[in-house]
Amino acid sequence: MKISWKSYNLELVRPFVIKHGSRTHQPTLIVCIERDGIKGYGEASAIHYYHVSVDLFESVLGKYKDVFEQMSWDTPAELWM
């Protein structure tokens, strides 16, 4: 199994405005899991007011990349056991 990721700073169509401020871009991480030529994708967006950043995501993924790639599982439920 392989895992890879890439960060993007996605431009919003219109500014997003809430009490905590406004933004015109959304930092996002796209993750790809590949096994036997089949790929699955997921995304995670940074959330400033929860102190969750793309850098944090990348740090955790990098730390556990080798462990994850050595795992063997067939269903998502097995991954969480």
Side-chain angles (χ1 to χ4, degrees):
M1 176 151 354
K2 293 182 186 177
I3 185 169
S4 59
W5 58 87
K6 183 167 173 68
S7 62
Y8 294 91
N9 197 22
L10 303 177
E11 184 176 355
L12 303 176
V13 174
R14 290 183 286 286
F16 179 75
V17 180
I18 59 173
K19 178 182 175 182
H20 301 285
S22 66
R23 64 178 174 259
T24 57
H25 291 77
Q26 179 61 51
T28 303
L29 190 74
I30 304 297
V31 179
C32 176
I33 297 174
E34 181 179 356
R35 182 172 131 186
D36 300 330
I38 299 171
K39 294 180 181 181
Y41 293 90
E43 58 89 17
S45 296
I47 304 173
H48 178 72
Y49 51 89
Y50 286 142
H51 307 289
V52 177
S53 67
V54 169
D55 289 341
L56 175 63
F57 293 143
E58 290 183 298
S59 173
V60 171
L61 286 171
K63 182 176 179 180
Y64 293 104
K65 183 179 190 303
D66 292 337
V67 172
F68 183 82
E69 289 183 342
Q70 293 174 17
M71 294 174 71
S72 177
W73 48 276
D74 293 316
T75 67
E78 291 176 287
L79 174 63
W80 298 109
M81 293 183 164

